[in-house]
Amino acid sequence: MAKQSYSRRRQRKGSCVQKARKNGPSYISNTSIEDSSQIEQLKKDLSTKENIVIISGAGISTNAGVNDFRSCSKARMSSRNLFHSSAYCIPERATQLHNQLLTIFKSASTSGPTSLDRLMEAWAQCGRVRRHYTQNIDCRSDRLPSLSQRTVMLHGRVDTLRCSIRPQHTFRVTAESFPQLVNERCPMCQKEQKQRELEGKRRRSTGSLRSNILLYGECNPDESEILGAFNNDLHQPVDAVIIVGTRLEIGDLRDFVEKLCEKAKSGNKECLTVWVNREPPKRRVDFEMDYQFLGDCDKFALAVSR
């Protein structure tokens, strides 16, 4: 059996085969939500679900004024290059990365809750959200007290710096302190170094502070926590999986979603799978999908909560 991991790698092209489905998903577009009988059926189906797993991406934050990675990198370089670990090998690219992260940090710090935020928080307050996995680094879910307790941040946090040598050394920062502290020497390494000198021990390397986000091409320091949550949810009753604001391009996350949907459907034929995004899945998916809402995430939230 292959060793489990979670990293930020894109799905290989052509590696997924769509399972045949007798009827196929119900398609709902922005233009038809006012009088769509499918919306009413979706609302009815969702109202009975008590163990919901939500997988979210950058699309849920754009209405709050936080640009997604494609918007961030459109004018300069691809998101994969901008958010790649090799950026820390070239000072100019590291500066570009930090400037973009600071823009995200500031935008998220001043944003208010969206309609989807309110819906997810209401579900969480009622105990209906089993887990919320988010690829977002903006930390906006921290301001939703019930949802934040159920949230697993897959790609790190923009409000935290970590040591480049010892990732267990982490430091919370503000949008104001971020530019002053990033790239500085790790205070915890320096403190440990002074203690080692007092004890007559050999010197060790001192790391520098870098952003605590998961970049392409590097291992995930939170991998054990993430895989623990994944494996736990695969063995628990799940009656709805909602994929919202993401194209599921990260291969390890896509693999998990496919396993989760397959496992949940096999244990509960009434399990609901819902895709909410402006675009349909970029590649064919290896799980049964009940609904595709092709449109704005907040319009979806308003439609199903009316």
Side-chain angles (χ1 to χ4, degrees), residues 189-297:
C189 283
Q190 291 179 315
K191 182 178 179 181
E192 290 178 354
Q193 185 60 47
K194 289 180 181 178
Q195 184 62 35
R196 291 178 68 85
E197 289 175 359
L198 291 174
E199 296 173 0
K201 296 180 179 179
R202 64 179 179 83
R203 294 181 63 84
R204 293 196 309 183
S205 298
T206 298
S208 58
L209 296 181
R210 52 151 289 180
S211 181
N212 188 31
I213 65 166
L214 179 64
L215 299 173
Y216 292 107
E218 68 178 355
C219 296
N220 193 334
D222 300 320
E223 183 175 83
S224 60
E225 176 189 344
I226 292 168
L227 292 180
F230 280 179
N231 289 326
N232 184 268
D233 287 340
L234 286 172
H235 293 88
Q236 298 296 327
V238 172
D239 55 17
V241 179
I242 301 176
I243 303 150
V244 56
T246 175
R247 296 184 296 171
L248 280 186
E249 289 200 328
I250 302 303
D252 288 339
L253 179 59
R254 188 185 184 99
D255 290 345
F256 164 68
V257 172
E258 290 175 350
K259 290 177 184 175
L260 177 66
C261 291
E262 182 179 6
K263 185 88 172 178
K265 286 279 190 183
S266 66
N268 177 6
K269 298 302 181 183
E270 300 301 316
C271 177
L272 199 65
T273 53
V274 184
W275 175 277
V276 183
N277 201 22
R278 293 182 183 276
E279 307 169 28
K282 193 173 181 180
R283 301 181 182 91
R284 293 187 297 175
V285 293
D286 193 23
F287 58 88
E288 292 184 3
M289 196 178 298
D290 298 301
Y291 292 93
Q292 285 193 32
F293 184 99
L294 302 181
D296 183 87
C297 298

Side-chain angles (χ1 to χ4, degrees), residues 88 98 101 105 156-164 166-174 177-188 208-213:
Y88 280 108
H98 293 153
L101 292 175
F105 200 169
R157 308 176 57 96
V158 75
D159 68 352
T160 307
L161 301 178
R162 75 168 185 258
C163 178
S164 59
R166 299 173 185 88
Q168 68 272 25
H169 295 175
T170 60
F171 305 85
R172 286 289 180 93
V173 293
T174 64
S177 63
F178 178 94
Q180 284 75 45
L181 294 176
V182 71
N183 284 335
E184 292 296 310
R185 287 193 170 190
C186 173
M188 200 169 293
S208 58
L209 296 181
R210 52 151 289 180
S211 181
N212 188 31
I213 65 166

Side-chain angles (χ1 to χ4, degrees), residues 132-145:
H132 170 221
Y133 293 100
T134 184
Q135 299 166 84
N136 293 344
I137 60 172
D138 55 33
C139 307
R140 292 179 55 255
S141 61
D142 284 5
R143 283 172 274 169
L144 304 170

